[in-house]
Amino acid sequence: MASSGLQTKKGDSHSDHLVQPTNPNVAAMQEDVLYHFSLSTSTHDFPAMFGDVKFVCVGGSPTRMEAFAKYMAKELGLDHPGAEYPNICRGTDRFAMFKVGPVLSVSHGIGIPSTSVMLHELIKLLYHAHCSDVTVIRIGTSGGIGSCRESKERTRGSEKAGAHLLGLKPGSVVITRQAVDASFKPVFEQVVLGKRVVQRTHLDEELAQELMQCSLELLDFPTVLGNTMCTSDFYEGQGRLDGALCSYTEKDKQKYLQAAHSAGVCNIEMESSVLAAICGACSIPVAVVCVTLLNRLEGDQVSSPHEVLVEYQQRPQRLVSHFIKKRLAAARNPPNL
């Protein structure tokens, strides 16, 4: 298993930033079965397996997260001939999990419900492993909505900054400033014991700015900082005209997407709000970095060639990899105070 080789500090009981669920019942459990991960505190040594984790990168596809783990192994100098990266959750087909040094790569499926389940068990895993100073980043795909407010774009040979961009081309990377719901409100809502519970969806602004700075250092693809709209559906919930059901017109769709654009929304996906809400409740720094596969103002279907989509999906991975390497280098060589 290629899960070690880069020396990082194990979870420190004296750290001020230990991962801590807000549920007091967890500490009193004699055994905690993380059913959807096929892991249990009675059968697995969580501190030994995960105690050095500092970065958790999550994304929808198991295949993509396995590829990211292999990519990180190369980037961190941990890859070698014959290296294997086994799925830690191989006892289940719900999620996939891979570990490379201090980086945990986990799939979350599609949508809020699946992501919520994964996050509950992930946070408990990190807690049982006594992990500290953990950063969570979603690397995924999304649909773009043209212009963004207060954003920057930089590509090789050019740099632009201003109040607006003229459009988000497919392949642009969006770093989420704030996750909003389908009504453009920065909230995550669910029903608990029959009662409506609303949580804020603020993301870590300092982390987002740090990622933005990394994008300016890479110079490889356009990157913007803006709001992300999180919906509960891929078709009608995002105003698509190509689903099995459609109760509105093209004009209605354009009006809605223009309203989203006016509210500062740069892109649309299906997981950011629950990530912001749950990680925020547990005081875990979290960021969302997604590439746009199409401009939703121009169409609904993802029709780019497969090889183009593969390259697009690698862009958030390259950005986050650069961020992780930069953070690790800073930890090894702290500035003199």
Side-chain angles (χ1 to χ4, degrees):
M1 177 184 295
S3 61
S4 62
L6 189 71
Q7 295 300 313
T8 57
K9 207 171 183 179
K10 292 285 185 179
D12 181 357
S13 60
H14 300 291
S15 172
D16 293 330
H17 300 93
L18 284 165
V19 174
Q20 182 72 48
T22 62
N23 177 11
N25 297 311
V26 175
M29 298 171 66
Q30 292 186 349
E31 178 188 15
D32 194 357
V33 178
L34 307 185
Y35 171 71
H36 300 90
F37 284 168
S38 189
L39 298 172
S40 168
T41 55
S42 67
T43 57
H44 297 82
D45 187 344
F46 283 32
M49 294 174 67
F50 305 108
D52 61 343
V53 168
K54 297 297 181 185
F55 305 94
V56 180
C57 298
V58 302
S61 163
T63 301
R64 189 188 310 152
M65 299 320 294
E66 181 179 15
F68 178 70
K70 293 178 179 178
Y71 175 67
M72 284 307 309
K74 294 179 181 178
E75 291 295 295
L76 296 178
L78 301 178
D79 192 36
H80 57 82
E84 296 182 355
Y85 307 93
N87 178 9
I88 298 171
C89 298
R90 56 188 174 275
T92 178
D93 59 0
R94 295 291 184 182
F95 301 108
M97 179 186 296
F98 309 90
K99 185 176 183 298
V100 177
V103 181
L104 201 61
S105 181
V106 189
S107 69
H108 56 56
I110 186 169
I112 289 172
S114 178
T115 303
S116 175
V117 171
M118 184 279 295
L119 285 172
H120 276 274
E121 299 193 7
L122 171 67
I123 291 170
K124 293 198 297 173
L125 179 155
L126 297 171
Y127 164 73
H128 292 307
H130 310 304
C131 292
S132 62
D133 302 314
V134 175
T135 298
V136 174
I137 304 177
R138 163 164 149 74
I139 47 178
T141 59
S142 63
I145 310 185
S147 306
C148 294
R149 294 178 176 177
E150 300 178 45
S151 55
K152 297 179 181 178
E153 177 183 22
R154 183 165 178 174
T155 55
R156 290 193 185 278
S158 68
E159 181 175 356
K160 302 176 183 178
H164 295 277
L165 286 176
L166 295 179
L168 275 186
K169 297 179 179 179
S172 300
V173 171
V174 178
I175 300 168
T176 303
R177 169 172 287 153
Q178 189 166 63
V180 300
D181 65 11
S183 298
F184 321 137
K185 297 177 182 178
V187 297
F188 170 65
E189 180 180 335
Q190 65 179 148
V191 176
V192 178
L193 300 182
K195 297 180 181 179
R196 178 174 172 264
V197 176
V198 178
Q199 295 172 271
R200 305 297 290 180
T201 55
H202 297 303
L203 291 142
D204 191 295
E205 177 70 19
E206 185 175 334
L207 176 57
Q209 292 291 346
E210 191 174 349
L211 285 160
M212 191 69 204
Q213 179 58 39
C214 288
S215 76
L216 299 179
E217 294 164 0
L218 285 177
L219 308 177
D220 283 347
F221 39 77
T223 304
V224 301
L225 182 65
N227 294 347
T228 295
M229 182 167 72
C230 181
T231 68
S232 59
D233 173 55
F234 183 80
Y235 286 98
E236 285 191 300
Q238 296 185 10
R240 279 183 159 83
L241 299 169
D242 60 339
L245 306 177
C246 186
S247 56
Y248 44 83
T249 66
E250 168 72 21
K251 184 178 179 181
D252 296 331
K253 165 197 161 180
Q254 289 295 333
K255 182 179 179 180
Y256 176 67
L257 294 181
Q258 289 291 346
H261 161 265
S262 298
V265 172
C266 287
N267 62 333
I268 311 173
E269 47 87 271
M270 298 175 63
E271 294 84 18
S272 58
S273 65
V274 71
L275 272 160
I278 293 181
C279 288
C282 295
S283 300
I284 300 173
V286 61
V288 177
V289 182
C290 289
V291 69
T292 59
L293 300 183
L294 75 165
N295 185 340
R296 286 297 318 288
L297 295 172
E298 298 177 354
D300 294 333
Q301 297 205 328
V302 180
S303 56
S304 297
H306 174 72
E307 61 273 13
V308 172
L309 294 176
V310 169
E311 196 279 323
Y312 284 172
Q313 292 174 34
Q314 292 171 348
R315 293 181 178 187
Q317 298 184 20
R318 300 208 300 272
L319 173 54
V320 172
S321 169
H322 181 69
F323 162 80
I324 290 173
K325 290 189 293 181
K326 193 173 177 182
R327 275 276 186 99
L328 290 173
R332 289 192 297 268
N333 302 289
N336 294 322
L337 299 178

PDB file of all heavy atoms in Angstrom, residues 143-166:
ATOM      1  N   GLY A 143     -21.289  23.276 -14.364  1.00  0.00           N
ATOM      2  CA  GLY A 143     -21.699  24.047 -15.527  1.00  0.00           C
ATOM      3  C   GLY A 143     -21.450  25.514 -15.266  1.00  0.00           C
ATOM      4  O   GLY A 143     -21.735  26.014 -14.174  1.00  0.00           O
ATOM      5  N   GLY A 144     -20.904  26.232 -16.241  1.00  0.00           N
ATOM      6  CA  GLY A 144     -20.590  27.640 -16.054  1.00  0.00           C
ATOM      7  C   GLY A 144     -21.761  28.545 -16.407  1.00  0.00           C
ATOM      8  O   GLY A 144     -22.642  28.173 -17.181  1.00  0.00           O
ATOM      9  N   ILE A 145     -21.776  29.726 -15.798  1.00  0.00           N
ATOM     10  CA  ILE A 145     -22.800  30.729 -16.134  1.00  0.00           C
ATOM     11  C   ILE A 145     -22.111  32.052 -16.431  1.00  0.00           C
ATOM     12  O   ILE A 145     -22.186  32.998 -15.657  1.00  0.00           O
ATOM     13  CB  ILE A 145     -23.804  30.956 -14.985  1.00  0.00           C
ATOM     14  CG1 ILE A 145     -24.360  29.649 -14.469  1.00  0.00           C
ATOM     15  CG2 ILE A 145     -24.954  31.830 -15.462  1.00  0.00           C
ATOM     16  CD1 ILE A 145     -25.427  29.831 -13.422  1.00  0.00           C
ATOM     17  N   GLY A 146     -21.414  32.124 -17.539  1.00  0.00           N
ATOM     18  CA  GLY A 146     -20.902  33.398 -18.014  1.00  0.00           C
ATOM     19  C   GLY A 146     -20.095  34.178 -17.002  1.00  0.00           C
ATOM     20  O   GLY A 146     -19.245  33.650 -16.306  1.00  0.00           O
ATOM     21  N   SER A 147     -20.392  35.453 -16.897  1.00  0.00           N
ATOM     22  CA  SER A 147     -19.577  36.410 -16.156  1.00  0.00           C
ATOM     23  C   SER A 147     -19.614  36.165 -14.663  1.00  0.00           C
ATOM     24  O   SER A 147     -20.566  35.636 -14.126  1.00  0.00           O
ATOM     25  CB  SER A 147     -20.051  37.834 -16.438  1.00  0.00           C
ATOM     26  OG  SER A 147     -20.086  38.081 -17.820  1.00  0.00           O
ATOM     27  N   CYS A 148     -18.563  36.626 -13.977  1.00  0.00           N
ATOM     28  CA  CYS A 148     -18.479  36.555 -12.521  1.00  0.00           C
ATOM     29  C   CYS A 148     -18.076  37.912 -11.975  1.00  0.00           C
ATOM     30  O   CYS A 148     -17.370  38.664 -12.632  1.00  0.00           O
ATOM     31  CB  CYS A 148     -17.439  35.529 -12.079  1.00  0.00           C
ATOM     32  SG  CYS A 148     -17.884  33.859 -12.507  1.00  0.00           S
ATOM     33  N   ARG A 149     -18.502  38.188 -10.760  1.00  0.00           N
ATOM     34  CA  ARG A 149     -18.134  39.430 -10.105  1.00  0.00           C
ATOM     35  C   ARG A 149     -16.835  39.272  -9.331  1.00  0.00           C
ATOM     36  O   ARG A 149     -16.528  38.209  -8.815  1.00  0.00           O
ATOM     37  CB  ARG A 149     -19.236  39.845  -9.127  1.00  0.00           C
ATOM     38  CG  ARG A 149     -20.539  40.213  -9.803  1.00  0.00           C
ATOM     39  CD  ARG A 149     -21.579  40.557  -8.760  1.00  0.00           C
ATOM     40  NE  ARG A 149     -22.808  41.007  -9.390  1.00  0.00           N
ATOM     41  CZ  ARG A 149     -23.900  41.315  -8.717  1.00  0.00           C
ATOM     42  NH1 ARG A 149     -23.911  41.201  -7.406  1.00  0.00           N
ATOM     43  NH2 ARG A 149     -24.972  41.735  -9.349  1.00  0.00           N
ATOM     44  N   GLU A 150     -16.097  40.382  -9.264  1.00  0.00           N
ATOM     45  CA  GLU A 150     -14.881  40.442  -8.449  1.00  0.00           C
ATOM     46  C   GLU A 150     -13.995  39.234  -8.682  1.00  0.00           C
ATOM     47  O   GLU A 150     -13.585  38.550  -7.764  1.00  0.00           O
ATOM     48  CB  GLU A 150     -15.224  40.530  -6.964  1.00  0.00           C
ATOM     49  CG  GLU A 150     -16.045  41.751  -6.616  1.00  0.00           C
ATOM     50  CD  GLU A 150     -16.399  41.775  -5.160  1.00  0.00           C
ATOM     51  OE1 GLU A 150     -15.514  41.512  -4.321  1.00  0.00           O
ATOM     52  OE2 GLU A 150     -17.545  42.049  -4.848  1.00  0.00           O
ATOM     53  N   SER A 151     -13.717  38.925  -9.935  1.00  0.00           N
ATOM     54  CA  SER A 151     -12.915  37.753 -10.241  1.00  0.00           C
ATOM     55  C   SER A 151     -11.706  38.144 -11.064  1.00  0.00           C
ATOM     56  O   SER A 151     -11.595  39.250 -11.572  1.00  0.00           O
ATOM     57  CB  SER A 151     -13.767  36.733 -10.997  1.00  0.00           C
ATOM     58  OG  SER A 151     -14.329  37.322 -12.132  1.00  0.00           O
ATOM     59  N   LYS A 152     -10.798  37.195 -11.188  1.00  0.00           N
ATOM     60  CA  LYS A 152      -9.576  37.424 -11.945  1.00  0.00           C
ATOM     61  C   LYS A 152      -9.382  36.272 -12.919  1.00  0.00           C
ATOM     62  O   LYS A 152      -9.779  35.150 -12.661  1.00  0.00           O
ATOM     63  CB  LYS A 152      -8.367  37.514 -11.020  1.00  0.00           C
ATOM     64  CG  LYS A 152      -8.432  38.684 -10.042  1.00  0.00           C
ATOM     65  CD  LYS A 152      -7.210  38.674  -9.148  1.00  0.00           C
ATOM     66  CE  LYS A 152      -7.258  39.809  -8.139  1.00  0.00           C
ATOM     67  NZ  LYS A 152      -6.085  39.778  -7.235  1.00  0.00           N
ATOM     68  N   GLU A 153      -8.756  36.569 -14.017  1.00  0.00           N
ATOM     69  CA  GLU A 153      -8.405  35.525 -14.972  1.00  0.00           C
ATOM     70  C   GLU A 153      -6.975  35.754 -15.399  1.00  0.00           C
ATOM     71  O   GLU A 153      -6.565  36.887 -15.629  1.00  0.00           O
ATOM     72  CB  GLU A 153      -9.327  35.596 -16.194  1.00  0.00           C
ATOM     73  CG  GLU A 153      -8.952  34.579 -17.268  1.00  0.00           C
ATOM     74  CD  GLU A 153      -9.824  34.718 -18.504  1.00  0.00           C
ATOM     75  OE1 GLU A 153     -10.381  35.799 -18.702  1.00  0.00           O
ATOM     76  OE2 GLU A 153      -9.907  33.764 -19.257  1.00  0.00           O
ATOM     77  N   ARG A 154      -6.236  34.661 -15.485  1.00  0.00           N
ATOM     78  CA  ARG A 154      -4.865  34.799 -15.951  1.00  0.00           C
ATOM     79  C   ARG A 154      -4.507  33.577 -16.769  1.00  0.00           C
ATOM     80  O   ARG A 154      -4.714  32.457 -16.346  1.00  0.00           O
ATOM     81  CB  ARG A 154      -3.911  34.950 -14.775  1.00  0.00           C
ATOM     82  CG  ARG A 154      -2.463  35.167 -15.221  1.00  0.00           C
ATOM     83  CD  ARG A 154      -1.639  35.668 -14.061  1.00  0.00           C
ATOM     84  NE  ARG A 154      -0.246  35.828 -14.455  1.00  0.00           N
ATOM     85  CZ  ARG A 154       0.682  36.360 -13.677  1.00  0.00           C
ATOM     86  NH1 ARG A 154       0.370  36.790 -12.480  1.00  0.00           N
ATOM     87  NH2 ARG A 154       1.923  36.461 -14.086  1.00  0.00           N
ATOM     88  N   THR A 155      -4.007  33.777 -17.961  1.00  0.00           N
ATOM     89  CA  THR A 155      -3.521  32.705 -18.805  1.00  0.00           C
ATOM     90  C   THR A 155      -2.132  33.108 -19.270  1.00  0.00           C
ATOM     91  O   THR A 155      -1.669  34.226 -19.028  1.00  0.00           O
ATOM     92  CB  THR A 155      -4.443  32.481 -20.017  1.00  0.00           C
ATOM     93  OG1 THR A 155      -4.589  33.729 -20.723  1.00  0.00           O
ATOM     94  CG2 THR A 155      -5.818  32.029 -19.563  1.00  0.00           C
ATOM     95  N   ARG A 156      -1.448  32.219 -19.957  1.00  0.00           N
ATOM     96  CA  ARG A 156      -0.092  32.521 -20.410  1.00  0.00           C
ATOM     97  C   ARG A 156      -0.113  33.758 -21.311  1.00  0.00           C
ATOM     98  O   ARG A 156      -0.838  33.823 -22.290  1.00  0.00           O
ATOM     99  CB  ARG A 156       0.498  31.337 -21.172  1.00  0.00           C
ATOM    100  CG  ARG A 156       0.796  30.152 -20.272  1.00  0.00           C
ATOM    101  CD  ARG A 156       1.654  29.126 -20.995  1.00  0.00           C
ATOM    102  NE  ARG A 156       1.837  27.956 -20.162  1.00  0.00           N
ATOM    103  CZ  ARG A 156       2.735  27.871 -19.201  1.00  0.00           C
ATOM    104  NH1 ARG A 156       3.513  28.899 -18.944  1.00  0.00           N
ATOM    105  NH2 ARG A 156       2.848  26.771 -18.490  1.00  0.00           N
ATOM    106  N   GLY A 157       0.676  34.724 -20.932  1.00  0.00           N
ATOM    107  CA  GLY A 157       0.810  35.901 -21.761  1.00  0.00           C
ATOM    108  C   GLY A 157      -0.222  36.968 -21.525  1.00  0.00           C
ATOM    109  O   GLY A 157      -0.187  38.015 -22.159  1.00  0.00           O
ATOM    110  N   SER A 158      -1.183  36.738 -20.622  1.00  0.00           N
ATOM    111  CA  SER A 158      -2.186  37.773 -20.393  1.00  0.00           C
ATOM    112  C   SER A 158      -2.702  37.700 -18.977  1.00  0.00           C
ATOM    113  O   SER A 158      -2.735  36.656 -18.357  1.00  0.00           O
ATOM    114  CB  SER A 158      -3.363  37.604 -21.366  1.00  0.00           C
ATOM    115  OG  SER A 158      -4.084  36.449 -21.072  1.00  0.00           O
ATOM    116  N   GLU A 159      -3.121  38.856 -18.471  1.00  0.00           N
ATOM    117  CA  GLU A 159      -3.701  38.915 -17.133  1.00  0.00           C
ATOM    118  C   GLU A 159      -4.781  39.966 -17.143  1.00  0.00           C
ATOM    119  O   GLU A 159      -4.619  41.040 -17.707  1.00  0.00           O
ATOM    120  CB  GLU A 159      -2.639  39.257 -16.090  1.00  0.00           C
ATOM    121  CG  GLU A 159      -3.215  39.293 -14.674  1.00  0.00           C
ATOM    122  CD  GLU A 159      -2.147  39.522 -13.639  1.00  0.00           C
ATOM    123  OE1 GLU A 159      -0.966  39.581 -14.038  1.00  0.00           O
ATOM    124  OE2 GLU A 159      -2.473  39.647 -12.467  1.00  0.00           O
ATOM    125  N   LYS A 160      -5.924  39.630 -16.546  1.00  0.00           N
ATOM    126  CA  LYS A 160      -7.039  40.561 -16.469  1.00  0.00           C
ATOM    127  C   LYS A 160      -7.570  40.554 -15.055  1.00  0.00           C
ATOM    128  O   LYS A 160      -7.625  39.542 -14.402  1.00  0.00           O
ATOM    129  CB  LYS A 160      -8.170  40.147 -17.423  1.00  0.00           C
ATOM    130  CG  LYS A 160      -7.756  40.051 -18.888  1.00  0.00           C
ATOM    131  CD  LYS A 160      -8.917  39.550 -19.723  1.00  0.00           C
ATOM    132  CE  LYS A 160      -8.514  39.376 -21.169  1.00  0.00           C
ATOM    133  NZ  LYS A 160      -9.627  38.853 -21.990  1.00  0.00           N
ATOM    134  N   ALA A 161      -7.997  41.713 -14.602  1.00  0.00           N
ATOM    135  CA  ALA A 161      -8.639  41.805 -13.297  1.00  0.00           C
ATOM    136  C   ALA A 161      -9.663  42.911 -13.362  1.00  0.00           C
ATOM    137  O   ALA A 161      -9.441  43.934 -13.988  1.00  0.00           O
ATOM    138  CB  ALA A 161      -7.613  42.104 -12.206  1.00  0.00           C
ATOM    139  N   GLY A 162     -10.808  42.695 -12.728  1.00  0.00           N
ATOM    140  CA  GLY A 162     -11.828  43.722 -12.768  1.00  0.00           C
ATOM    141  C   GLY A 162     -13.101  43.255 -12.131  1.00  0.00           C
ATOM    142  O   GLY A 162     -13.169  42.191 -11.535  1.00  0.00           O
ATOM    143  N   ALA A 163     -14.135  44.053 -12.274  1.00  0.00           N
ATOM    144  CA  ALA A 163     -15.407  43.734 -11.634  1.00  0.00           C
ATOM    145  C   ALA A 163     -16.130  42.611 -12.352  1.00  0.00           C
ATOM    146  O   ALA A 163     -16.965  41.940 -11.779  1.00  0.00           O
ATOM    147  CB  ALA A 163     -16.279  44.975 -11.581  1.00  0.00           C
ATOM    148  N   HIS A 164     -15.836  42.391 -13.646  1.00  0.00           N
ATOM    149  CA  HIS A 164     -16.575  41.379 -14.405  1.00  0.00           C
ATOM    150  C   HIS A 164     -15.649  40.669 -15.386  1.00  0.00           C
ATOM    151  O   HIS A 164     -14.686  41.233 -15.879  1.00  0.00           O
ATOM    152  CB  HIS A 164     -17.722  42.012 -15.194  1.00  0.00           C
ATOM    153  CG  HIS A 164     -18.790  42.605 -14.345  1.00  0.00           C
ATOM    154  ND1 HIS A 164     -19.817  41.874 -13.805  1.00  0.00           N
ATOM    155  CD2 HIS A 164     -18.976  43.877 -13.934  1.00  0.00           C
ATOM    156  CE1 HIS A 164     -20.602  42.667 -13.111  1.00  0.00           C
ATOM    157  NE2 HIS A 164     -20.105  43.886 -13.173  1.00  0.00           N
ATOM    158  N   LEU A 165     -15.987  39.450 -15.691  1.00  0.00           N
ATOM    159  CA  LEU A 165     -15.413  38.746 -16.836  1.00  0.00           C
ATOM    160  C   LEU A 165     -16.482  38.694 -17.916  1.00  0.00           C
ATOM    161  O   LEU A 165     -17.673  38.670 -17.609  1.00  0.00           O
ATOM    162  CB  LEU A 165     -15.022  37.318 -16.452  1.00  0.00           C
ATOM    163  CG  LEU A 165     -13.772  37.152 -15.592  1.00  0.00           C
ATOM    164  CD1 LEU A 165     -13.591  35.695 -15.223  1.00  0.00           C
ATOM    165  CD2 LEU A 165     -12.558  37.648 -16.328  1.00  0.00           C
ATOM    166  N   LEU A 166     -16.075  38.671 -19.156  1.00  0.00           N
ATOM    167  CA  LEU A 166     -17.048  38.668 -20.247  1.00  0.00           C
ATOM    168  C   LEU A 166     -17.676  37.305 -20.444  1.00  0.00           C
ATOM    169  O   LEU A 166     -18.675  37.182 -21.127  1.00  0.00           O
ATOM    170  CB  LEU A 166     -16.372  39.139 -21.540  1.00  0.00           C
ATOM    171  CG  LEU A 166     -15.885  40.591 -21.504  1.00  0.00           C
ATOM    172  CD1 LEU A 166     -15.202  40.947 -22.820  1.00  0.00           C
ATOM    173  CD2 LEU A 166     -17.040  41.545 -21.230  1.00  0.00           C
TER     174      LEU A 166
END
